[in-house]
Protein backbone atom coordinates (compact mmCIF):
# COMPACT_ATOMS: atom_id res chain seq x y z
CA UNK A 1 0.00 0.00 0.00
CA UNK A 2 2.79 2.40 0.89
CA UNK A 3 4.53 1.66 -2.44
CA UNK A 4 1.28 2.50 -4.25
CA UNK A 5 0.95 5.78 -2.35
CA UNK A 6 4.60 6.66 -3.08
CA UNK A 7 4.04 6.06 -6.79
CA UNK A 8 0.65 7.79 -7.17
CA UNK A 9 0.34 10.18 -4.23
CA UNK A 10 -3.08 8.75 -3.28
CA UNK A 11 -4.59 5.80 -1.43
CA UNK A 12 -5.63 2.77 -3.48
CA UNK A 13 -9.03 2.42 -1.83
CA UNK A 14 -11.17 5.34 -0.76
CA UNK A 15 -14.85 5.63 0.28
CA UNK A 16 -17.36 7.96 1.84
CA UNK A 17 -17.32 5.94 5.03
CA UNK A 18 -14.67 3.72 6.68
CA UNK A 19 -16.89 0.73 6.04
CA UNK A 20 -16.91 1.44 2.30
CA UNK A 21 -13.09 1.71 2.28
CA UNK A 22 -12.84 -1.53 4.23
CA UNK A 23 -15.21 -3.16 1.76
CA UNK A 24 -12.93 -2.23 -1.12
CA UNK A 25 -9.87 -3.45 0.78
CA UNK A 26 -11.47 -6.85 1.16
CA UNK A 27 -13.23 -7.20 -2.21
CA UNK A 28 -11.17 -5.20 -4.67
CA UNK A 29 -7.56 -5.57 -5.78
CA UNK A 30 -5.26 -2.56 -5.63
CA UNK A 31 -5.47 -0.83 -9.03
CA UNK A 32 -2.38 -0.52 -11.21
CA UNK A 33 -0.31 2.59 -10.29
CA UNK A 34 0.07 3.38 -14.02
CA UNK A 35 -3.66 4.23 -14.15
CA UNK A 36 -3.00 7.29 -12.01
CA UNK A 37 0.71 7.98 -12.66
CA UNK A 38 1.91 7.95 -16.23
CA UNK A 39 5.31 6.51 -16.97
CA UNK A 40 5.14 3.66 -14.45
CA UNK A 41 6.47 0.49 -16.16
CA UNK A 42 4.29 -2.56 -16.37
CA UNK A 43 6.65 -4.61 -14.21
CA UNK A 44 6.21 -2.06 -11.38
CA UNK A 45 2.41 -2.53 -11.74
CA UNK A 46 3.00 -6.27 -11.50
CA UNK A 47 5.16 -5.85 -8.35
CA UNK A 48 2.41 -3.83 -6.65
CA UNK A 49 -0.20 -6.39 -7.67
CA UNK A 50 1.94 -9.26 -6.37
CA UNK A 51 2.67 -7.55 -3.03
CA UNK A 52 -1.01 -6.58 -2.43
CA UNK A 53 -2.76 -9.66 -3.76
CA UNK A 54 -5.72 -10.53 -1.53
CA UNK A 55 -5.02 -14.22 -1.87
CA UNK A 56 -2.03 -14.79 0.39
CA UNK A 57 -0.85 -17.67 -1.78
CA UNK A 58 -0.31 -15.08 -4.54
CA UNK A 59 1.77 -12.79 -2.30
CA UNK A 60 5.55 -13.31 -1.68
CA UNK A 61 6.15 -16.13 0.78
CA UNK A 62 8.25 -13.94 3.13
CA UNK A 63 10.17 -10.68 3.30
CA UNK A 64 13.25 -12.17 1.65
CA UNK A 65 11.23 -13.11 -1.45
CA UNK A 66 9.72 -9.63 -1.60
CA UNK A 67 13.21 -8.15 -1.23
CA UNK A 68 14.37 -10.30 -4.13
CA UNK A 69 11.51 -8.97 -6.28
CA UNK A 70 12.40 -5.41 -5.29
CA UNK A 71 16.04 -5.97 -6.29
CA UNK A 72 15.00 -7.21 -9.73
CA UNK A 73 12.72 -4.23 -10.30
CA UNK A 74 15.40 -1.83 -9.00
CA UNK A 75 17.98 -3.24 -11.41
CA UNK A 76 15.55 -2.89 -14.32
CA UNK A 77 14.80 0.72 -13.38
CA UNK A 78 18.51 1.53 -12.95
CA UNK A 79 19.18 0.12 -16.43
CA UNK A 80 16.47 2.34 -17.93
CA UNK A 81 14.30 -0.61 -19.04
CA UNK A 82 10.83 0.70 -19.89
CA UNK A 83 9.22 -2.70 -20.49
CA UNK A 84 10.39 -6.18 -19.54
CA UNK A 85 7.85 -8.78 -20.59
CA UNK A 86 9.57 -11.65 -18.75
CA UNK A 87 9.88 -9.71 -15.51
CA UNK A 88 6.26 -8.54 -15.77
CA UNK A 89 5.04 -12.09 -16.34
CA UNK A 90 7.09 -13.40 -13.38
CA UNK A 91 5.69 -10.80 -10.98
CA UNK A 92 2.05 -10.75 -12.13
CA UNK A 93 -0.11 -12.83 -9.67
CA UNK A 94 -2.26 -15.56 -11.11
CA UNK A 95 -5.97 -14.71 -11.29
CA UNK A 96 -8.13 -16.59 -8.83
CA UNK A 97 -10.24 -19.22 -10.48
CA UNK A 98 -13.80 -18.04 -11.04
CA UNK A 99 -16.32 -20.88 -11.09
CA UNK A 100 -18.81 -20.87 -13.93
CA UNK A 101 -22.37 -20.09 -12.83
CA UNK A 102 -24.58 -23.11 -12.35
CA UNK A 103 -27.63 -23.58 -14.51
CA UNK A 104 -30.45 -21.33 -13.40
CA UNK A 105 -28.21 -19.42 -10.88
CA UNK A 106 -27.63 -15.68 -10.82
CA UNK A 107 -24.86 -14.43 -13.09
CA UNK A 108 -21.45 -13.55 -11.53
CA UNK A 109 -21.18 -9.85 -10.80
CA UNK A 110 -19.01 -8.00 -13.28
CA UNK A 111 -16.76 -6.48 -10.64
CA UNK A 112 -15.54 -9.92 -9.57
CA UNK A 113 -13.88 -10.69 -12.87
CA UNK A 114 -10.07 -10.55 -12.46
CA UNK A 115 -10.11 -10.79 -8.65
CA UNK A 116 -7.05 -12.43 -7.11
CA UNK A 117 -9.16 -13.88 -4.29
CA UNK A 118 -12.60 -15.46 -4.10
CA UNK A 119 -15.30 -13.44 -2.34
CA UNK A 120 -15.58 -14.02 1.37
CA UNK A 121 -18.82 -12.11 1.93
CA UNK A 122 -21.93 -11.96 -0.13
CA UNK A 123 -22.40 -8.57 -1.73
CA UNK A 124 -25.82 -8.27 -0.05
CA UNK A 125 -24.26 -8.67 3.41
CA UNK A 126 -21.59 -6.05 2.77
CA UNK A 127 -24.21 -3.69 1.35
CA UNK A 128 -26.04 -4.12 4.61
CA UNK A 129 -22.85 -3.29 6.52
CA UNK A 130 -22.34 -0.18 4.43
CA UNK A 131 -25.99 0.90 4.97
CA UNK A 132 -27.35 -0.80 8.10
CA UNK A 133 -30.72 0.99 7.83
CA UNK A 134 -31.29 -0.06 4.22
CA UNK A 135 -32.57 -3.22 2.66
CA UNK A 136 -29.94 -5.94 3.00
CA UNK A 137 -31.24 -7.63 -0.11
CA UNK A 138 -30.75 -4.49 -2.25
CA UNK A 139 -27.84 -4.13 -4.64
CA UNK A 140 -24.72 -2.54 -3.12
CA UNK A 141 -24.71 1.19 -3.64
CA UNK A 142 -28.51 1.41 -4.21
CA UNK A 143 -29.89 4.74 -3.11
CA UNK A 144 -33.37 6.23 -2.82
CA UNK A 145 -33.84 6.38 -6.55
CA UNK A 146 -33.12 2.72 -6.73
CA UNK A 147 -35.68 1.97 -4.08
CA UNK A 148 -38.20 4.10 -5.88
CA UNK A 149 -37.57 2.23 -9.03
CA UNK A 150 -38.11 -0.97 -7.15
CA UNK A 151 -41.62 0.15 -6.25
CA UNK A 152 -42.61 0.27 -9.91
CA UNK A 153 -43.67 -2.60 -12.03
CA UNK A 154 -41.31 -5.57 -12.00
CA UNK A 155 -41.03 -8.79 -13.86
CA UNK A 156 -42.11 -11.99 -12.16
CA UNK A 157 -39.39 -13.49 -10.09
CA UNK A 158 -37.74 -16.75 -10.99
CA UNK A 159 -37.69 -18.78 -7.81
CA UNK A 160 -35.26 -21.33 -9.22
CA UNK A 161 -32.49 -18.72 -9.62
CA UNK A 162 -32.85 -16.98 -6.21
CA UNK A 163 -31.13 -18.38 -3.11
CA UNK A 164 -33.08 -19.03 0.01
CA UNK A 165 -33.21 -16.06 2.35
CA UNK A 166 -30.69 -16.11 5.19
CA UNK A 167 -31.62 -15.54 8.80
CA UNK A 168 -31.28 -11.87 9.78
CA UNK A 169 -29.37 -12.66 12.99
CA UNK A 170 -26.64 -14.42 11.12
CA UNK A 171 -26.14 -11.45 8.88
CA UNK A 172 -25.83 -9.12 11.85
CA UNK A 173 -22.74 -10.74 13.42
CA UNK A 174 -21.07 -12.57 10.55
CA UNK A 175 -19.92 -9.43 8.69
CA UNK A 176 -18.23 -7.63 11.62
CA UNK A 177 -16.50 -10.79 12.79
CA UNK A 178 -15.10 -11.54 9.37
CA UNK A 179 -14.02 -7.92 8.99
CA UNK A 180 -12.28 -8.06 12.35
CA UNK A 181 -10.51 -11.27 11.40
CA UNK A 182 -9.42 -9.72 8.11
CA UNK A 183 -8.02 -6.69 9.89
CA UNK A 184 -6.20 -8.89 12.40
CA UNK A 185 -4.78 -10.98 9.57
CA UNK A 186 -3.64 -7.88 7.70
CA UNK A 187 -1.99 -6.54 10.87
CA UNK A 188 -0.24 -9.84 11.47
CA UNK A 189 1.03 -9.98 7.91
CA UNK A 190 2.29 -6.40 8.16
CA UNK A 191 3.96 -7.04 11.50
CA UNK A 192 5.58 -10.21 10.16
CA UNK A 193 6.81 -8.42 7.08
CA UNK A 194 8.21 -5.63 9.24
CA UNK A 195 9.97 -8.11 11.53
CA UNK A 196 11.36 -10.47 8.91
CA UNK A 197 12.17 -7.73 6.43
CA UNK A 198 13.66 -5.09 8.75
CA UNK A 199 13.33 -5.24 12.52
CA UNK A 200 15.32 -8.42 13.15
CA UNK A 201 18.35 -7.13 11.22
CA UNK A 202 21.15 -4.98 12.63
CA UNK A 203 23.11 -2.29 10.79
CA UNK A 204 26.82 -3.00 10.30
CA UNK A 205 28.76 -0.16 12.00
CA UNK A 206 31.23 1.93 10.03
CA UNK A 207 34.73 0.95 11.18
CA UNK A 208 36.73 1.98 8.12
CA UNK A 209 39.99 3.69 9.05
CA UNK A 210 39.83 2.50 12.66
CA UNK A 211 42.56 0.51 14.32
CA UNK A 212 42.16 -3.23 14.54
CA UNK A 213 41.41 -3.24 18.28
CA UNK A 214 38.87 -0.40 18.04
CA UNK A 215 37.06 -1.95 15.05
CA UNK A 216 36.85 -5.42 16.64
CA UNK A 217 35.55 -3.98 19.90
CA UNK A 218 32.83 -1.91 18.18
CA UNK A 219 31.63 -4.83 16.03
CA UNK A 220 31.56 -7.28 18.90
CA UNK A 221 29.63 -4.80 21.04
CA UNK A 222 27.12 -4.53 18.16
CA UNK A 223 26.61 -8.31 18.33
CA UNK A 224 28.69 -9.42 15.35
CA UNK A 225 31.44 -11.99 14.99
CA UNK A 226 34.72 -10.67 13.55
CA UNK A 227 37.09 -12.39 11.13
CA UNK A 228 40.30 -10.99 9.66
CA UNK A 229 41.14 -11.52 6.00
CA UNK A 230 44.57 -11.17 4.42
CA UNK A 231 45.87 -7.62 4.64
CA UNK A 232 46.39 -5.38 1.64
CA UNK A 233 48.78 -2.51 0.96
CA UNK A 234 47.27 0.96 1.04
CA UNK A 235 48.56 4.42 0.21
CA UNK A 236 45.88 6.17 2.30
CA UNK A 237 45.13 3.91 5.29
CA UNK A 238 47.62 3.56 8.14
CA UNK A 239 49.17 0.20 8.86
CA UNK A 240 46.92 -2.21 10.83
CA UNK A 241 43.87 0.01 10.29
CA UNK A 242 40.68 -1.15 8.54
CA UNK A 243 40.61 -0.81 4.74
CA UNK A 244 37.25 -2.52 4.08
CA UNK A 245 34.64 -4.74 5.66
CA UNK A 246 32.28 -7.41 4.35
CA UNK A 247 29.32 -6.88 4.68
CA UNK A 248 29.88 -3.21 3.92
CA UNK A 249 29.16 -0.51 6.50
CA UNK A 250 25.45 0.35 6.64
CA UNK A 251 24.22 -3.02 5.40
CA UNK A 252 21.63 -4.75 7.56
CA UNK A 253 22.35 -8.33 8.53
CA UNK A 254 21.25 -10.76 11.22
CA UNK A 255 22.87 -10.40 14.66
CA UNK A 256 25.72 -12.84 15.15
CA UNK A 257 26.73 -12.77 11.50
CA UNK A 258 30.48 -12.61 10.77
CA UNK A 259 31.96 -9.32 9.57
CA UNK A 260 35.26 -9.83 7.73
CA UNK A 261 37.79 -7.03 8.07
CA UNK A 262 40.68 -6.29 5.71
CA UNK A 263 43.55 -4.49 7.44
CA UNK A 264 46.13 -2.23 5.82
CA UNK A 265 49.72 -3.39 5.53
CA UNK A 266 50.73 0.23 5.06
CA UNK A 267 52.44 1.64 2.00
CA UNK A 268 53.75 -1.18 -0.18
CA UNK A 269 57.55 -1.20 0.18
CA UNK A 270 60.19 -3.90 -0.11
CA UNK A 271 63.74 -4.06 1.35
CA UNK A 272 66.66 -4.05 -1.08
CA UNK A 273 68.36 -7.48 -0.90
CA UNK A 274 72.12 -7.92 -0.62
CA UNK A 275 73.59 -8.17 -4.12
CA UNK A 276 77.35 -8.14 -3.41
CA UNK A 277 79.14 -11.11 -4.97
CA UNK A 278 76.26 -11.96 -7.36
CA UNK A 279 76.40 -12.00 -11.13
CA UNK A 280 74.34 -9.45 -13.03
CA UNK A 281 71.68 -12.03 -13.93
CA UNK A 282 71.48 -13.29 -10.34
CA UNK A 283 71.14 -9.72 -9.05
CA UNK A 284 68.32 -9.02 -11.52
CA UNK A 285 66.48 -12.16 -10.38
CA UNK A 286 66.92 -11.29 -6.69
CA UNK A 287 65.45 -7.82 -7.28
CA UNK A 288 62.52 -9.22 -9.27
CA UNK A 289 61.53 -11.39 -6.30
CA UNK A 290 60.79 -8.23 -4.28
CA UNK A 291 59.26 -6.34 -7.25
CA UNK A 292 62.32 -4.15 -7.81
CA UNK A 293 64.25 -3.60 -11.04
CA UNK A 294 67.92 -3.58 -12.01
CA UNK A 295 69.04 -0.10 -13.02
CA UNK A 296 72.39 1.09 -14.38
CA UNK A 297 75.29 -1.38 -14.48
CA UNK A 298 78.72 0.24 -14.10
CA UNK A 299 81.96 -1.72 -14.47
CA UNK A 300 85.04 -1.08 -12.37
CA UNK A 301 88.38 -2.78 -11.67
CA UNK A 302 88.59 -4.47 -8.31
CA UNK A 303 91.53 -6.07 -6.55
CA UNK A 304 89.21 -8.10 -4.28
CA UNK A 305 86.08 -9.01 -6.28
CA UNK A 306 86.21 -11.50 -9.10
CA UNK A 307 85.42 -10.28 -12.59
CA UNK A 308 81.67 -10.23 -13.40
CA UNK A 309 80.46 -10.02 -9.79
CA UNK A 310 78.70 -7.12 -8.06
CA UNK A 311 81.02 -4.93 -5.98
CA UNK A 312 78.34 -2.66 -4.46
CA UNK A 313 74.87 -1.26 -5.21
CA UNK A 314 72.78 1.83 -4.60
CA UNK A 315 70.49 2.01 -2.64
CA UNK A 316 72.24 -0.18 -0.11
CA UNK A 317 70.93 -3.42 1.37
CA UNK A 318 67.88 -3.04 3.63
CA UNK A 319 66.63 0.23 2.14
CA UNK A 320 62.81 0.19 1.77
CA UNK A 321 61.65 0.93 -1.79
CA UNK A 322 58.29 0.96 -3.54
CA UNK A 323 57.53 -1.63 -6.23
CA UNK A 324 59.17 -0.85 -9.56
CA UNK A 325 62.06 1.15 -8.06
CA UNK A 326 65.49 0.64 -9.63
CA UNK A 327 68.75 -0.37 -7.99
CA UNK A 328 72.06 0.58 -9.64
CA UNK A 329 75.03 -1.79 -9.37
CA UNK A 330 78.82 -1.64 -9.83
CA UNK A 331 80.24 -4.82 -11.37
CA UNK A 332 83.87 -5.90 -11.13
CA UNK A 333 86.10 -5.98 -14.23
CA UNK A 334 88.64 -7.99 -12.29
CA UNK A 335 92.14 -6.83 -11.25
CA UNK A 336 93.54 -3.79 -13.01
CA UNK A 337 96.62 -4.66 -15.18
CA UNK A 338 99.62 -2.39 -14.43
CA UNK A 339 102.20 -1.50 -17.08
CA UNK A 340 105.76 -2.33 -15.90
CA UNK A 341 107.72 -0.42 -18.54
CA UNK A 342 111.42 -0.72 -19.58
CA UNK A 343 113.82 0.65 -16.98
CA UNK A 344 117.18 -0.76 -18.23
CA UNK A 345 119.82 1.99 -18.37
CA UNK A 346 117.59 4.34 -16.33
CA UNK A 347 117.92 5.62 -12.82
CA UNK A 348 116.99 2.85 -10.40
CA UNK A 349 115.58 5.20 -7.73
CA UNK A 350 113.15 6.80 -10.20
CA UNK A 351 112.15 3.37 -11.49
CA UNK A 352 111.41 2.20 -7.95
CA UNK A 353 109.26 5.23 -7.08
CA UNK A 354 107.16 4.90 -10.24
CA UNK A 355 106.59 1.18 -9.87
CA UNK A 356 105.73 1.38 -6.19
CA UNK A 357 103.26 4.22 -6.88
CA UNK A 358 101.41 1.81 -9.17
CA UNK A 359 101.22 -0.74 -6.37
CA UNK A 360 104.01 -3.01 -7.51
CA UNK A 361 106.76 -4.34 -5.27
CA UNK A 362 110.36 -3.51 -6.31
CA UNK A 363 113.28 -5.85 -5.50
CA UNK A 364 116.72 -4.11 -5.73
CA UNK A 365 118.70 -6.73 -3.86
CA UNK A 366 120.81 -7.59 -6.90
CA UNK A 367 123.73 -5.17 -7.53
CA UNK A 368 126.82 -5.64 -9.65
CA UNK A 369 129.68 -3.75 -11.19
CA UNK A 370 129.35 -2.72 -14.74
CA UNK A 371 131.95 -0.82 -16.68
CA UNK A 372 129.30 0.50 -19.14
CA UNK A 373 126.34 1.30 -16.88
CA UNK A 374 126.82 4.13 -14.40
CA UNK A 375 126.46 3.46 -10.73
CA UNK A 376 122.81 3.56 -9.53
CA UNK A 377 121.34 2.79 -12.93
CA UNK A 378 119.44 -0.37 -13.93
CA UNK A 379 121.52 -3.03 -15.62
CA UNK A 380 118.60 -5.51 -16.05
CA UNK A 381 115.00 -6.09 -14.88
CA UNK A 382 112.51 -8.97 -14.52
CA UNK A 383 110.00 -9.01 -16.08
CA UNK A 384 111.47 -7.05 -18.92
CA UNK A 385 108.14 -5.34 -19.67
CA UNK A 386 104.44 -6.15 -20.10
CA UNK A 387 101.89 -5.89 -17.27
CA UNK A 388 101.54 -7.10 -13.70
CA UNK A 389 98.81 -6.86 -11.07
CA UNK A 390 98.98 -4.85 -7.87
CA UNK A 391 101.26 -6.46 -5.31
CA UNK A 392 103.38 -8.40 -7.79
CA UNK A 393 107.17 -7.95 -7.85
CA UNK A 394 109.56 -6.31 -10.31
CA UNK A 395 113.26 -7.25 -9.85
CA UNK A 396 115.88 -4.61 -10.77
CA UNK A 397 119.61 -5.32 -11.16
CA UNK A 398 121.35 -2.08 -10.19
CA UNK A 399 124.84 -1.11 -11.33
CA UNK A 400 127.61 -0.39 -8.81
CA UNK A 401 129.56 1.27 -11.57
CA UNK A 402 133.04 0.09 -12.79
CA UNK A 403 134.99 -2.34 -10.56
CA UNK A 404 138.17 -0.24 -9.76
CA UNK A 405 141.39 -2.02 -8.76
CA UNK A 406 144.64 -0.43 -7.44
CA UNK A 407 147.50 -1.07 -9.82
CA UNK A 408 150.44 -2.72 -8.00
CA UNK A 409 154.08 -1.95 -8.72
CA UNK A 410 155.82 -4.63 -10.81
CA UNK A 411 159.01 -2.69 -11.77
CA UNK A 412 162.22 -4.73 -11.71
CA UNK A 413 160.24 -7.94 -11.67
CA UNK A 414 160.69 -10.56 -14.24
CA UNK A 415 158.17 -10.26 -17.03
CA UNK A 416 156.45 -13.54 -16.22
CA UNK A 417 156.13 -12.82 -12.53
CA UNK A 418 154.69 -9.38 -13.26
CA UNK A 419 152.23 -10.75 -15.79
CA UNK A 420 150.90 -13.33 -13.35
CA UNK A 421 150.36 -10.75 -10.61
CA UNK A 422 148.52 -8.31 -12.84
CA UNK A 423 146.34 -10.89 -14.55
CA UNK A 424 145.39 -12.24 -11.14
CA UNK A 425 143.93 -8.79 -10.39
CA UNK A 426 141.91 -8.88 -13.56
CA UNK A 427 144.09 -6.74 -15.75
CA UNK A 428 145.11 -7.41 -19.30
CA UNK A 429 148.91 -7.31 -19.67
CA UNK A 430 150.80 -6.12 -22.75
CA UNK A 431 154.64 -5.87 -23.12
CA UNK A 432 156.98 -3.82 -25.27
CA UNK A 433 160.77 -3.50 -25.44
CA UNK A 434 162.49 -0.34 -24.31
CA UNK A 435 164.82 1.49 -26.64
CA UNK A 436 168.30 0.03 -26.12
CA UNK A 437 166.71 -3.26 -25.09
CA UNK A 438 169.40 -5.54 -23.47
CA UNK A 439 167.38 -8.79 -23.51
CA UNK A 440 167.32 -9.19 -19.71
CA UNK A 441 163.54 -9.73 -19.51
CA UNK A 442 162.86 -7.38 -16.57
CA UNK A 443 160.22 -4.71 -16.22
CA UNK A 444 161.71 -1.28 -16.69
CA UNK A 445 158.39 0.68 -16.41
CA UNK A 446 154.58 0.21 -16.34
CA UNK A 447 151.51 2.16 -17.52
CA UNK A 448 149.28 3.01 -15.70
CA UNK A 449 151.67 3.66 -12.85
CA UNK A 450 151.57 1.83 -9.58
CA UNK A 451 148.92 3.12 -7.12
CA UNK A 452 146.33 4.22 -9.70
CA UNK A 453 142.77 2.84 -9.49
CA UNK A 454 141.47 1.61 -12.78
CA UNK A 455 138.57 -0.63 -13.79
CA UNK A 456 139.15 -4.30 -13.60
CA UNK A 457 139.87 -5.61 -17.08
CA UNK A 458 141.80 -2.53 -18.05
CA UNK A 459 145.07 -3.02 -19.97
CA UNK A 460 148.48 -2.42 -18.30
CA UNK A 461 151.47 -2.01 -20.57
CA UNK A 462 154.90 -3.23 -19.30
CA UNK A 463 158.15 -1.89 -20.80
CA UNK A 464 161.01 -4.48 -20.72
CA UNK A 465 164.81 -4.04 -20.79
Amino acid sequence: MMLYELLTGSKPHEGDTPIQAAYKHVHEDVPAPSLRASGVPSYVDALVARATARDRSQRPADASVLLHHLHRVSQALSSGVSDDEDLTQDLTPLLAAIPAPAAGSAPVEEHRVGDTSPEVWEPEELAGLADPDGDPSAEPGAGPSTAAAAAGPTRPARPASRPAPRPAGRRRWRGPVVLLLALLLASGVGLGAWWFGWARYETVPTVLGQSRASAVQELEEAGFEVDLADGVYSESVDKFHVVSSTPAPGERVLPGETVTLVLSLGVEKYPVPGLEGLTTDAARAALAEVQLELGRVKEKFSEKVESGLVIRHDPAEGKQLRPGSVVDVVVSKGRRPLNVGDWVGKDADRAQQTLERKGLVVDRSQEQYDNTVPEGFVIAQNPQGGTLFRGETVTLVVSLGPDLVTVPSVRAQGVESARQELEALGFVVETREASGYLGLGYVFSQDPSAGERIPRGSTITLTLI
Side-chain angles (χ1 to χ4, degrees):
M1 298 298 182
M2 184 177 294
L3 177 59
Y4 181 90
E5 293 183 30
L6 291 173
L7 292 171
T8 64
S10 61
K11 296 181 180 296
H13 298 306
E14 297 177 339
D16 295 335
T17 65
I19 295 298
Q20 291 178 350
Y23 175 87
K24 292 182 179 181
H25 272 287
V26 176
H27 288 274
E28 295 182 12
D29 288 329
V30 173
S34 60
L35 297 177
R36 293 192 178 183
S38 61
V40 176
S42 58
Y43 51 81
V44 175
D45 288 343
L47 174 64
V48 173
R50 169 73 71 172
T52 61
R54 289 181 296 128
D55 184 354
R56 66 178 182 179
S57 65
Q58 301 292 331
R59 294 194 296 269
D62 54 33
S64 62
V65 176
L66 178 58
L67 181 61
H68 173 69
H69 294 333
L70 286 172
H71 282 167
R72 294 180 63 191
V73 170
S74 176
Q75 291 174 358
L77 291 172
S78 300
S79 303
V81 178
S82 60
D83 186 21
D84 189 328
E85 183 178 349
D86 292 337
L87 179 57
T88 302
Q89 184 176 356
D90 289 345
L91 296 178
T92 301
L94 299 176
L95 296 179
I98 302 174
S105 63
V108 178
E109 286 80 356
E110 184 178 351
H111 72 276
R112 298 182 62 181
V113 178
D115 281 354
T116 59
S117 175
E119 294 291 356
V120 187
W121 297 342
E122 291 82 354
E124 295 81 2
E125 292 178 343
L126 288 174
L129 289 175
D131 187 9
D133 297 331
D135 185 3
S137 63
E139 295 278 339
S145 60
T146 307
T154 57
R155 289 179 297 174
R158 290 181 293 178
S161 61
R162 291 186 178 273
R166 298 177 180 270
R170 182 180 179 184
R171 289 198 295 271
R172 291 194 187 97
W173 62 262
R174 179 179 177 183
V177 170
V178 174
L179 176 59
L180 178 60
L181 292 176
L183 292 175
L184 291 175
L185 178 61
S187 299
V189 170
L191 182 60
W194 172 78
W195 169 254
F196 288 102
W198 177 264
R200 67 172 180 159
Y201 294 95
E202 294 290 342
T203 301
V204 177
T206 300
V207 295
L208 302 185
Q210 296 186 23
S211 66
R212 170 181 172 177
S214 173
V216 171
Q217 179 180 357
E218 182 172 348
L219 289 170
E220 288 180 346
E221 290 177 352
F224 298 104
E225 299 291 332
V226 180
D227 188 21
L228 298 178
D230 294 337
V232 297
Y233 292 102
S234 174
E235 298 287 334
S236 58
V237 180
D238 293 338
K239 192 173 184 179
F240 301 132
H241 285 60
V242 179
V243 176
S244 64
S245 66
T246 304
E251 289 192 21
R252 295 185 62 81
V253 297
L254 292 173
E257 290 287 336
T258 298
V259 178
T260 302
L261 299 181
V262 177
L263 300 181
S264 170
L265 299 178
V267 178
E268 186 175 10
K269 289 186 177 182
Y270 298 96
V272 176
L275 305 177
E276 290 84 353
L278 300 180
T279 64
T280 303
D281 290 339
R284 180 180 288 106
L287 291 172
E289 289 181 358
V290 291
Q291 301 188 38
L292 301 178
E293 298 179 3
L294 183 65
R296 292 177 299 175
V297 178
K298 183 179 179 181
E299 294 184 329
K300 184 178 180 179
F301 289 110
S302 174
E303 297 298 318
K304 298 179 179 180
V305 181
E306 183 182 344
S307 177
L309 302 182
V310 175
I311 302 173
R312 61 179 180 274
H313 53 86
D314 183 41
E317 181 179 358
K319 178 71 175 180
Q320 298 284 331
L321 298 179
R322 294 190 177 187
S325 300
V326 298
V327 178
D328 300 330
V329 298
V330 178
V331 178
S332 174
K333 294 167 61 176
R335 302 182 69 184
R336 182 191 296 275
L338 304 174
N339 186 32
V340 176
D342 184 7
W343 297 98
V344 175
K346 298 178 181 178
D347 184 76
D349 292 338
R350 180 169 174 268
Q352 182 175 357
Q353 291 176 358
T354 302
L355 293 172
E356 287 180 347
R357 193 180 302 117
K358 293 181 178 181
L360 297 174
V361 177
V362 177
D363 180 8
R364 292 181 54 173
S365 61
Q366 298 183 39
E367 297 179 327
Q368 65 184 41
Y369 293 101
D370 192 291
N371 295 333
T372 60
V373 179
E375 182 180 0
F377 282 68
V378 178
I379 300 173
Q381 72 178 58
N382 182 35
Q384 297 180 358
T387 60
L388 294 176
F389 295 115
R390 182 183 294 273
E392 294 185 335
T393 301
V394 178
T395 301
L396 301 179
V397 179
V398 182
S399 172
L400 295 175
D403 186 8
L404 300 179
V405 180
T406 302
V407 178
S409 174
V410 292
R411 290 185 65 187
Q413 291 186 22
V415 62
E416 293 303 326
S417 174
R419 183 188 299 278
Q420 290 179 359
E421 183 178 351
L422 292 173
E423 289 180 349
L425 294 174
F427 296 117
V428 176
V429 178
E430 292 184 356
T431 60
R432 67 185 179 87
E433 294 176 355
S435 57
Y437 174 67
L438 300 178
L440 298 178
Y442 286 91
V443 177
F444 176 73
S445 63
Q446 64 184 58
D447 182 29
S449 302
E452 291 188 26
R453 291 181 60 80
I454 62 174
R456 192 183 302 275
S458 299
T459 300
I460 297 177
T461 302
L462 300 178
T463 302
L464 303 180
I465 57 172

